[in-house]
């Protein structure tokens, strides 16, 4: 015999939404469907106590009812929800007359926390324009949501002690403007972004962001030799070892090779250029991996003793430095290399040697700590892609917010 549908619960959409929104002192009275939205009407539930919008304390007295406000929410199937409610003003024993607390949104937000978080999550993957299109919001709303999420995240992120950091610069608008970024190289996470790359601009990282107490745990600080940051380290984290890292040194070395190659190519006639076509890999490959034909071409080039060849040899010889484990040997190798580079009659290499001379101690630290800013390279590429996908942010403020949002692993606001 068939049982009547006892125990089966029919859930009204109003009840479903009330539960989904986690309402306790409020309830959903009606859901109205228009052609663009589902409008969810919310009312106060009986005489349940409302909370103060500032301190969230329960308040006995309701002072007045304000005019209806609307909050954009997530979509249900095709239609976006819109919550509609007439906020109360409550008399808080602590704060005085305030607008009540909304469990679904921040005090001044025009979207619910659930929607804001969904937008913020997508904005980590897409451009702000793309995110706006996806949620049918305008660009400005997305910018506001991301900046609020970042402000929340910065205030609530975990801050374990930091031991190894990398300081680097990234350019905005094709090298017109620079920002300084600081990474925790152990956790591979962005710590701080500063507007500009001067000593003055980076000082707040040590004084405000870190503070004297957290500065004391710093052991190794990786940076580029060009950077103006060394003085700051000496002043605020004197115990930390400065390391001019492999990634940046190799970059300068490659720049020197490239400069030699370019100036040679300008100098050579069309006919003379022929043997150099596709010679780059010939010179970079390990000699034992070359075919007979390639070996022959190589020896011809070598006999010519062209500046390009000398540049490549110097570069390859320098790279041995990274394999020494004893500081003494590494130092000897470097010394020998610098002497031969100075005799090379290659101006870019002499420039490179002068740079090394000024920073020997920080370069030799490599044998002790073997930390590399390699993680920095990955992060910098990520920042570049953030900048590209948004056609370069017009203001530093927006760009900085986007960098924090994508690289600092910030927590998102809690949905109640
Ligand atoms: Zn209060």
């Amino acid at each position: 015999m068939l049982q009547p549908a006892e125990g089966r619960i029919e859930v009204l959409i109003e009840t479903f939404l009330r539960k989904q929104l986690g309402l306790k002192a409020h309830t959903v009275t009606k859901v109205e469907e228009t052609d663009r939205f589902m409008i969810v009407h919310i009312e106060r539930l009986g005489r349940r106590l409302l909370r103060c919008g500032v301190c969230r304390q329960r308040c006995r007295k309701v002072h007045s009812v304000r005019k209806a406000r609307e909050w954009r929410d997530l979509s249900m199937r095709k239609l976006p929800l819109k919550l509609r409610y007439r906020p109360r003003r409550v008399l808080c024993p602590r704060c005085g007359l305030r607008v009540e607390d909304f469990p679904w949104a921040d005090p001044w937000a025009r979207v619910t926390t659930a929607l804001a978080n969904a937008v913020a999550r997508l904005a980590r993957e897409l451009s702000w324009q793309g995110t706006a299109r996806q949620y049918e919001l305008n660009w400005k709303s997305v910018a506001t949501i991301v900046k609020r999420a970042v402000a929340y995240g910065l205030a609530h992120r975990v801050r374990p002690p930091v031991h190894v950091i990398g300081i680097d610069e990234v350019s905005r608008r094709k090298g017109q403007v620079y920002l300084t970024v600081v990474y925790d190289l152990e956790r591979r996470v962005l710590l701080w972004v500063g507007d500009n790359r001067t000593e003055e601009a980076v000082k707040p990282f040590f004084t405000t962001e870190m503070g004297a107490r957290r500065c004391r745990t710093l052991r190794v600080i990786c940076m580029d030799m060009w950077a103006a940051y060394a003085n700051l380290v000496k002043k605020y984290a004197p115990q930390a070892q400065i390391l001019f890292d492999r990634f940046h040194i190799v970059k300068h070395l490659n720049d020197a090779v490239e400069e030699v190659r370019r100036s040679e190519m300008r100098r050579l006639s069309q006919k003379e250029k022929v043997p150099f076509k596709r010679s780059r890999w010939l010179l970079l490959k390990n000699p034992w991996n070359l075919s007979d034909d390639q070996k022959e071409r190589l020896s011809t080039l070598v006999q010519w003793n062209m500046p390009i060849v000398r540049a490549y040899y110097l570069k390859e010889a320098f790279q041995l430095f990274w394999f020494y484990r004893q500081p003494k040997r590494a130092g000897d190798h470097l010394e020998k290399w610098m002497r031969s580079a100075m005799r090379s009659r290659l101006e870019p290499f002499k420039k490179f040697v002068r740079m090394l001379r000024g920073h020997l101690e920080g370069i030799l630290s490599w044998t002790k700590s073997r930390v590399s800013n390699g993680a920095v390279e990955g992060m910098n590429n990520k920042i570049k892609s953030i900048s590209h996908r948004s056609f370069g942010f017009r203001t530093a403020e927006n760009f900085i917010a986007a960098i924090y949002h994508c690289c600092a692993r910030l927590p998102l606001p809690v949905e109640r």
Side-chain angles (χ1 to χ4, degrees), residues 52 54-57 92 94-95:
C52 162
V54 178
C55 67
R56 291 200 188 154
Q57 161 109 303
C92 172
R94 265 190 247 171
C95 320

Side-chain angles (χ1 to χ4, degrees), residues 340-385:
S340 62
M342 285 311 272
R343 284 196 305 265
S344 69
R345 282 171 284 135
L346 300 172
E347 202 37 56
F349 276 84
K350 289 185 184 175
K351 204 175 92 195
F352 178 65
V353 171
R354 283 192 287 273
M355 189 175 7
L356 294 178
R357 283 250 180 252
H359 302 88
L360 276 184
E361 199 194 336
I363 294 162
L364 289 169
S365 318
W366 163 262
T367 49
K368 281 175 257 164
S369 5
R370 292 200 183 270
V371 177
S372 175
N373 253 344
V376 165
E377 195 183 5
M379 289 280 218
N380 285 358
N381 287 339
K382 197 168 173 183
I383 292 174
K384 252 180 236 159
S385 80

